[in-house]
C-alpha cells in the first residue's frame, strides 16, 4: 500500500486508503510523495551526439548491475509524440536528432543503481551532418533533420514545405501590402534576432507512475496540461485514454516548459512493464537544462511604413522560429505570431509569414508569453524607428495608431473594448523624475516604452467545467481540471466560491487536479484560465447556491427571494430563521460523523461564444490582452553595462478580481522579462549546450531589481469574463525587452537588434559611432 508522508508543509495529514492513492492533504509536489520500499527509480541515457545514426544500443553490462529491474530502448517503445505533428519519438529509434535526446532508460531498486546502469549502456553512433542554426537549416541543400518528415501523421492545418527543414508555414494577410508600402512616406526595414532561453522552473521535470492489477495506470506528475498530456501519452503508447489517470500536485514553476510531454511518456511505458511497482523519475538540473524544452530562437524580418502624419500604412514581416528537433510544440506559437505580428495597431495592409524550422538543437516549446515577447522585441523597435524617422514622439506615434474597440483586425475579427491607449499613457507618465548622473561619470540615461497585445485562444464547445461539493462539515470542495502554476488560479477560484456562496475563504478547499475525477480544462498556457475556469467556477457556485436556497425554502415554507447565505449560514430576512449549510442540505449538525447518502453538488460549464473568424482558423480566439511598459535605463559608456532604474507596467486586466495577485503577476513578469532581456541565453556550439547550469546560465536575482518597480491596473471589462476579468500571467513580460532597447537608444543613440542585450553587445554598438553628450 502506498503511504504519503507528512511534509513540512502545514496542512491536514493524509488519509491512508486501501486500493487507491489520494492526493489531498499535505503532499503538494511530486517529491512529497512517498511510496515506501516498493518504489523503483529510473535514469535516462541521453544522446551525446546532436545528429547521428543510432547503430546499436548495448544494455548487457547495465542489466548485470545488482538491483536493476528493466532497461528499455527505442526498439521497446516505438511510439511517436505529437499533438498536431507526430515528429518526436518517446525513445530514439534509428537516429538521434539532438544532444540530450533519450536513447534508453534504466530502472532499479535505488537511484544509485539506476544511475550506474545508465552509465554502463554502450551506444554506437555514426555522425551525420547537422544544422545548428536557422541560416544553416534554411540553406539550399541543407541536411534534413527529418528525412521522412513528410510521412509523419499531422493535422490538416500543418503545412510543411517539402524538401526543406520548414516543418510548418503559416501566412496571415489582409489588404494590399505592396500598395500600403507604396503609400508610405517612410518605410523602415530591419532584422532582429532572439536567442533561445530556458524556462528555468525551480522544480525540475519529474513524476511517478504505477499500474495496478487491472491495468489502470496512475501518473503523478508536475504539469500544466494534465488532460492534454494524458491523451498524447495514451496515443503514443497505444493506450485508451481511459486507462491512464494523471494526478497533478502543485507545480513548482512551469512558464510553458511543462505544457508538453517530456519524461511522462517514459514513466508510463516503464510502469506498464512493471505491474504494481511505482516508478519514479526526476531529472537532475543538468538534464533539465540540456534535454528538456527551451524557448525557440527567432529571426524576425520586419518592414513597416507610415504616412508623413504618422499613420501606419503597412506591415510586412517574416518570423522564423528555431524549433529544434521537434516542431509540434511551436505550431500554435507560430500561428499566434502570424495573428499578432503587426503589433497592437490599426493597419489596413498586413502580410505576416511565420515559419517553424527544424534544427539539431534540443526541442523547443513556448515560454511565458507564447512567442509574443519575441515578436514584440522586433515590432516595437520598428515602431520607435518609424517614429524617429518621422520626428514624432514614440508615445504620440503609438497613440495615433493604437487599436480601439470596434477596429477591424483581420480574418473577420473586430477588436473588443480595450484599454490599450490608457495603458500606454499610464506607463509613460508613471516614470518618476530622477536625478541625472554626475557629468563626470561616463553614463547616459534614457527612457523607452513598448506596447503589446496577445491573443488568448478559446475552444469550440465546452471550454471549461467545474464541480463543487458541499461536505457534511460545511466545507465546499472545488474540483477543477485547470492547474495553478503560481499564477493564482486556485486563489481566484476560492474567492469566487466564497463570495457567491456566502462562506469564508477558509471554508473552501481545492481538490488536486485529477483526470480521473476533475472536469476537463484548458492547459495553463496563454492565460485563459481566469476567463474560462473562472466562469465555470462562478456557474458552479451559483448552481450550488440555488440548490441550497431551494432546499431551505421548501423546509421553511418561505420564498427563495427572502433567503440569503451569510458567513456559512442560510438566513431568512422574513422569519429570521438561521441554519448552517450542512444542516439545511443534509438535516444534520456540522459535527455529525454520519455521511449523507449523496453530497450536494454544483456544476458549471462555460462555453465560449461562437467565433467570428472567417479565415478558416483552426484555433478560435477568445480575446486579446493589451498593455504597455515604460523603463528608464542608465548605460555605462565604458563597459556597455545597462542598469534598469525604473520599470512601470500597465495592463488592461478587464477587472482585477484580486488586485494583489494582479500586481504581483505584473511585477514578477517584468522581472522575468528583464532577466531574459539582459542576462539569459542558452549557448550552443555545434549543437552542444555550453552553459547547462546556473553557474554559467545567468538569471536575474533580487540584486538586479530596478530601483523603482511599479504596476498600474487598467480595467476595461471583458464582456464574457467572470465579473469582466481576463488573465494577466502570460502577458506581463511581453513588452519588457523592446522597452529596454528603446530606452538604450534614447540614452546613447544606438540600436541593439539581438537578444540578450549584453554589456558586450552594447559596447560594440557604441564603438560604431560617436556618442553625443545628452542635455540634462
Amino acid at each position: 500500500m502506498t503511504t504519503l508522508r507528512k511534509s513540512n508543509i502545514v496542512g491536514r495529514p493524509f488519509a491512508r486508503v486501501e486500493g487507491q492513492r489520494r492526493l489531498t492533504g499535505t503532499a503538494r509536489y511530486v517529491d512529497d510523495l512517498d511510496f515506501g520500499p516498493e518504489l523503483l527509480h529510473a535514469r535516462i541515457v541521453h544522446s551525446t551526439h546532436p545528429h547521428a545514426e543510432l547503430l546499436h544500443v548495448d544494455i548487457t553490462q547495465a542489466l548485470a548491475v545488482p538491483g536493476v529491474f528493466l532497461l528499455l530502448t527505442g526498439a521497446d517503445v516505438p511510439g511517436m509524440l505529437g499533438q498536431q505533428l507526430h515528429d518526436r519519438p518517446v525513445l530514439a529509434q534509428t537516429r538521434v536528432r539532438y544532444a540530450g535526446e533519450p536513447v534508453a532508460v534504466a530502472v532499479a531498486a535505488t537511484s544509485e543503481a539506476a544511475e550506474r546502469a545508465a552509465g554502463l549502456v554502450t551506444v554506437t553512433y555514426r555522425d551525420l551532418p547537422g544544422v545548428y542554426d536557422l541560416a544553416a537549416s534554411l540553406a539550399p541543400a541543407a541536411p534534413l533533420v527529418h528525412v521522412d518528415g513528410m510521412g509523419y501523421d499531422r493535422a490538416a492545418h500543418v503545412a510543411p514545405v517539402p524538401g526543406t527543414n520548414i516543418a510548418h508555414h503559416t501566412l496571415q494577410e489582409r489588404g494590399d501590402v505592396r500598395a500600403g508600402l507604396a503609400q508610405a512616406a517612410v518605410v523602415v526595414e530591419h532584422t532582429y534576432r532572439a536567442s533561445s532561453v530556458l524556462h528555468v522552473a525551480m522544480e525540475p521535470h519529474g513524476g511517478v507512475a504505477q499500474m495496478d492489477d487491472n491495468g489502470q495506470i496512475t501518473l503523478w506528475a508536475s504539469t500544466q496540461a494534465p488532460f492534454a498530456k494524458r491523451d498524447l501519452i495514451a496515443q503514443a503508447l497505444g493506450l485508451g485514454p481511459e486507462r491512464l489517470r494523471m494526478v497533478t500536485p502543485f507545480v513548482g514553476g512551469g512558464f510553458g516548459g511543462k505544457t508538453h510531454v517530456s519524461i511522462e511518456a517514459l514513466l508510463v511505458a516503464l510502469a506498464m512493464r512493471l505491474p504494481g511497482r511505482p516508478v519514479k523519475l526526476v531529472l537532475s538540473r543538468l538534464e533539465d537544462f540540456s534535454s528538456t524544452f527551451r524557448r525557440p530562437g527567432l529571426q524576425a524580418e520586419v518592414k513597416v511604413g507610415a504616412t508623413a502624419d504618422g499613420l501606419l500604412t503597412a506591415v510586412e514581416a517574416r518570423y522564423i522560429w528555431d524549433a529544434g528537433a521537434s516542431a509540434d510544440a511551436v505550431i500554435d506559437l507560430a500561428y499566434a505570431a502570424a495573428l499578432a505580428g503587426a503589433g497592437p495597431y490599426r493597419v489596413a495592409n498586413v502580410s505576416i509569414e511565420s515559419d517553424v524550422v527544424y534544427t539539431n538543437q534540443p526541442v523547443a516549446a513556448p515560454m511565458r508569453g507564447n512567442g509574443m515577447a519575441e515578436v514584440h522585441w522586433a515590432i516595437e523597435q520598428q515602431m520607435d524607428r518609424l517614429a524617429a524617422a518621422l520626428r514624432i514622439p514614440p508615445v504620440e506615434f503609438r497613440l495615433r495608431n493604437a487599436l480601439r474597440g470596434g477596429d477591424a483586425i483581420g480574418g473577420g475579427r473586430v477588436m473588443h473594448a480595450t484599454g490599450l491607449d490608457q495603458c500606454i499613457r499610464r506607463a509613460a507618465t508613471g516614470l518618476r523624475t530622477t536625478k541625472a548622473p554626475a557629468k563626470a561619470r561616463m553614463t547616459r540615461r534614457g527612457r523607452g516604452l513598448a506596447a503589446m497585445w496577445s491573443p488568448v485562444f478559446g475552444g469550440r464547445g465546452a471550454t471549461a467545467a467545474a464541480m463543487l461539493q458541499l461536505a457534511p462539515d460545511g466545507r465546499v470542495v472545488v474540483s477543477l481540471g485547470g492547474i495553478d502554476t503560481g499564477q493564482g488560479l486556485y486563489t481566484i477560484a476560492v474567492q469566487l466560491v466564497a463570495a457567491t456562496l456566502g462562506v469564508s475563504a477558509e471554508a473552501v478547499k481545492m481538490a488536486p487536479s485529477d483526470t480521473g475525477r476533475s472536469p476537463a480544462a484548458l492547459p495553463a498556457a496563454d492565460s485563459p484560465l481566469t476567463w474560462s475556469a473562472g466562469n465555470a467556477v462562478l456557474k458552479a457556485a451559483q448552481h450550488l447556491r440555488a440548490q441550497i436556497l431551494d432546499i431551505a425554502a421548501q423546509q421553511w415554507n418561505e420564498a427563495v427571494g427572502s433567503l440569503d447565505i451569510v458567513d456559512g449560514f442560510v438566513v431568512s430576512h422574513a422569519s429570521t430563521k438561521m441554519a448552517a449549510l450542512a444542516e439545511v442540505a443534509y438535516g444534520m449538525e456540522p459535527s455529525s460523523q454520519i455521511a449523507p447518502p449523496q453530497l450536494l453538488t454544483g456544476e458549471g460549464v462555460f462555453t465560449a461564444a461562437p467565433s467570428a473568424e472567417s479565415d478558416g482558423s483552426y484555433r478560435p480566439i477568445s480575446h486579446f490582452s493589451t498593455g504597455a511598459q515604460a523603463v528608464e535605463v542608465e548605460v555605462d559608456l565604458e563597459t556597455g553595462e545597462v542598469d534598469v532604474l525604473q520599470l512601470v507596467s500597465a495592463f488592461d486586466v478587464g477587472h482585477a478580481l484580486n488586485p494583489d495577485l494582479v500586481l504581483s503577476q505584473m511585477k514578477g513578469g517584468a522581472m522575468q522579462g528583464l532577466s531574459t532581456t539582459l542576462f539569459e541565453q542558452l549557448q550552443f556550439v555545434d549543437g552542444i549546450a555550453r552553459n547547462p547550469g546556473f553557474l554559467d546560465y545567468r538569471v536575474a536575482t533580487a540584486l538586479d531589481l530596478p530601483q523603482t518597480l511599479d504596476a498600474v491596473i487598467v480595467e476595461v471589462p471583458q464582456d464574457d469574463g467572470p465579473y469582466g476579468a481576463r488573465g494577466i500571467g502570460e502577458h506581463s513580460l511581453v513588452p519588457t525587452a523592446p522597452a529596454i532597447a528603446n530606452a538604450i537608444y534614447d540614452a546613447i543613440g544606438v540600436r541593439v537588434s539581438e537578444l540578450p542585450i549584453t554589456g558586450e553587445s552594447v559596447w560594440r554598438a557604441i564603438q560604431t559611432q560617436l556618442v553625443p553628450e545628452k542635455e540634462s
Side-chain angles (χ1 to χ4, degrees):
M1 183 187 74
T2 296
T3 60
L4 302 174
R5 64 177 166 84
K6 188 174 181 180
S7 71
N8 59 355
I9 301 173
V10 177
R12 292 170 56 86
F14 279 91
R16 297 189 178 190
V17 181
E18 295 289 347
Q20 69 180 65
R21 313 277 189 266
R22 293 208 310 182
L23 196 60
T24 57
T26 56
R28 297 194 175 187
Y29 301 96
V30 169
D31 269 351
D32 283 324
L33 296 169
D34 182 2
F35 288 81
E38 293 296 302
L39 180 67
L40 301 178
H41 299 265
R43 300 300 295 171
I44 297 173
V45 179
H46 300 279
S47 169
T48 55
H49 295 237
H51 197 202
E53 287 184 52
L54 196 57
L55 300 180
H56 184 59
V57 182
D58 187 349
I59 62 175
T60 307
Q61 293 184 63
L63 286 171
V65 173
V68 167
F69 279 73
L70 179 69
L71 275 106
L72 295 180
T73 68
D76 304 303
V77 190
M80 298 288 283
L81 291 163
Q83 186 170 30
Q84 301 171 74
L85 175 61
H86 299 179
D87 66 349
R88 180 161 56 101
V90 177
L91 283 170
Q93 304 291 315
T94 57
R95 67 171 60 191
V96 293
R97 294 180 174 85
Y98 67 97
E101 183 170 1
V103 173
V105 59
V107 183
T110 66
S111 58
E112 293 80 9
E115 185 76 37
R116 186 180 174 205
L120 290 173
V121 174
T122 302
V123 185
T124 305
Y125 302 92
R126 178 185 291 137
D127 284 331
L128 295 169
V131 286
Y132 304 119
D133 56 37
L134 289 171
S137 184
L138 293 173
L144 295 182
V145 177
H146 289 267
V147 175
D148 48 357
M150 291 303 297
Y152 290 159
D153 290 339
R154 60 181 185 268
H157 60 268
V158 177
V161 178
T164 75
N165 283 309
I166 299 175
H168 176 60
H169 170 80
T170 186
L171 173 66
Q172 291 283 316
E173 291 184 300
R174 64 179 182 267
D176 186 335
V177 168
R178 298 294 114 213
L181 291 171
Q183 295 166 10
V186 174
V187 174
V188 175
E189 184 174 5
H190 199 73
T191 298
Y192 302 85
R193 293 177 176 85
S195 297
S196 282
V197 301
L198 292 166
H199 301 84
V200 199
M202 291 185 69
E203 177 197 36
H205 292 253
V208 179
Q210 184 177 25
M211 186 169 76
D212 65 19
D213 294 339
N214 297 316
Q216 292 294 124
I217 303 156
T218 301
L219 171 63
W220 294 264
S222 177
T223 176
Q224 296 174 244
F227 288 90
K229 280 193 179 181
R230 176 199 62 186
D231 294 346
L232 292 175
I233 294 167
Q235 162 252 303
L237 300 181
L239 293 170
E242 70 282 354
R243 283 189 58 196
L244 179 58
R245 172 187 169 207
M246 193 160 188
V247 183
T248 305
F250 281 86
V251 177
F255 311 113
K258 293 177 182 174
T259 303
H260 299 270
V261 177
S262 60
I263 63 168
E264 297 89 354
L266 276 179
L267 275 167
V268 174
L270 293 171
M272 290 170 65
R273 288 161 175 82
L274 295 164
R277 298 297 295 266
V279 183
K280 181 176 183 178
L281 174 57
V282 177
L283 297 185
S284 68
R285 184 60 66 181
L286 175 63
E287 289 176 302
D288 220 48
F289 267 65
S290 59
S291 65
T292 63
F293 299 108
R294 60 186 175 89
R295 189 177 82 176
L298 171 68
Q299 178 174 306
E301 303 162 356
V302 187
K303 182 188 292 188
V304 295
T307 63
D309 55 355
L311 297 179
L312 288 168
T313 61
V315 175
E316 183 178 29
R318 186 187 183 196
Y319 296 108
I320 310 171
W321 303 93
D322 175 358
S326 169
D328 177 64
V330 187
I331 289 172
D332 280 351
L333 177 151
Y335 176 54
L339 290 171
Y345 304 108
R346 290 189 308 278
V347 53
N349 306 296
V350 174
S351 176
I352 308 291
E353 291 182 86
S354 194
D355 290 330
V356 182
V357 177
Y358 288 125
T359 63
N360 292 115
Q361 306 277 38
V363 177
M367 188 174 161
R368 188 176 188 176
N370 194 32
M372 293 300 100
E374 302 93 290
V375 165
H376 286 76
W377 163 245
I379 197 68
E380 281 300 285
Q381 286 202 73
Q382 285 293 87
M383 294 303 154
D384 257 38
R385 287 178 184 266
L386 202 53
L390 293 166
R391 299 184 180 276
I392 299 173
V395 172
E396 175 59 30
F397 180 80
R398 286 176 171 81
L399 289 173
R400 291 185 190 182
N401 292 283
L403 281 169
R404 291 171 172 80
D407 287 340
I409 52 176
R413 307 175 190 92
V414 174
M415 188 65 183
H416 52 78
T418 175
L420 175 61
D421 57 339
Q422 297 180 50
C423 294
I424 293 170
R425 288 190 177 93
R426 297 191 69 177
T429 58
L431 291 175
R432 306 175 188 181
T433 301
T434 57
K435 184 178 179 180
K439 288 199 173 184
R441 293 182 59 193
M442 290 294 289
T443 60
R444 300 287 186 273
R445 289 188 180 180
R447 295 184 169 195
L449 179 136
M452 63 76 64
W453 71 333
S454 180
V456 176
F457 293 113
R460 293 183 172 90
T463 302
M467 182 174 68
L468 276 57
Q469 289 189 317
L470 178 63
D473 62 2
R475 292 184 304 158
V476 179
V477 180
V478 182
S479 181
L480 273 180
I483 301 299
D484 192 324
T485 61
Q487 82 278 40
L489 173 64
Y490 288 178
T491 300
I492 293 299
V494 168
Q495 282 186 255
L496 289 169
V497 171
T500 304
L501 282 182
V503 299
S504 68
E506 290 74 18
V508 183
K509 304 298 178 184
M510 297 298 303
S513 175
D514 180 341
T515 61
R517 302 177 183 178
S518 305
L522 292 171
D526 309 328
S527 287
L529 293 178
T530 293
W531 163 70
S532 60
N535 269 313
V537 168
L538 185 58
K539 289 175 179 289
Q542 291 167 343
H543 182 214
L544 182 58
R545 175 186 174 88
Q547 293 178 74
I548 293 169
L549 293 181
D550 281 343
I551 292 171
Q554 293 175 30
Q555 290 177 356
W556 298 347
N557 195 27
E558 296 188 25
V560 171
S562 67
L563 303 179
D564 198 0
I565 304 175
V566 180
D567 295 332
F569 289 85
V570 178
V571 298
S572 169
H573 297 298
S575 65
T576 70
K577 289 180 180 179
M578 181 172 74
L581 297 187
E583 184 179 354
V584 171
Y586 306 124
M588 61 180 65
E589 294 293 333
S591 59
S592 174
Q593 298 299 310
I594 302 173
Q598 185 173 352
L599 294 180
L600 202 60
T601 301
E603 297 180 343
V605 176
F606 171 65
T607 303
S611 176
E613 282 98 339
S614 62
D615 57 356
S617 301
Y618 73 96
R619 287 203 68 186
I621 298 168
S622 159
H623 55 270
F624 287 84
S625 286
T626 58
Q629 284 176 339
V631 302
E632 182 181 34
V633 303
E634 184 171 277
V635 183
D636 188 312
L637 299 181
E638 295 181 313
T639 66
E641 182 179 353
V642 177
D643 187 14
V644 178
L645 305 178
Q646 298 187 71
L647 195 157
V648 180
S649 301
F651 287 89
D652 177 9
V653 301
H655 172 68
L657 293 171
N658 186 315
D660 287 342
L661 273 179
V662 169
L663 292 172
S664 67
Q665 286 297 314
M666 287 189 196
K667 293 179 180 181
M671 272 306 295
Q672 192 170 25
L674 183 151
S675 185
T676 57
T677 300
L678 298 180
F679 304 121
E680 296 185 45
Q681 180 183 19
L682 187 58
Q683 300 170 4
F684 292 96
V685 176
D686 294 336
I688 306 296
R690 293 306 184 190
N691 58 334
F694 284 122
L695 183 63
D696 299 308
Y697 184 91
R698 174 78 190 280
V699 177
T701 70
L703 297 177
D704 302 300
L705 276 167
Q707 297 171 14
T708 302
L709 183 60
D710 288 334
V712 179
I713 295 173
V714 174
E715 296 177 297
V716 175
Q718 178 68 30
D719 58 0
D720 62 348
Y723 297 106
R726 65 175 75 92
I728 178 59
E730 291 271 341
H731 316 304
S732 50
L733 59 57
V734 169
T736 312
I740 291 173
N742 290 337
I744 292 170
Y745 179 80
D746 184 56
I748 62 175
V750 300
R751 285 275 169 198
V752 180
S753 301
E754 296 192 14
L755 281 176
I757 303 173
T758 63
E760 180 181 352
S761 64
V762 174
W763 180 85
R764 290 187 182 279
I766 290 171
Q767 306 314 304
T768 64
Q769 66 185 76
L770 179 67
V771 181
E773 181 75 15
K774 286 191 69 180
E775 295 183 4
S776 58

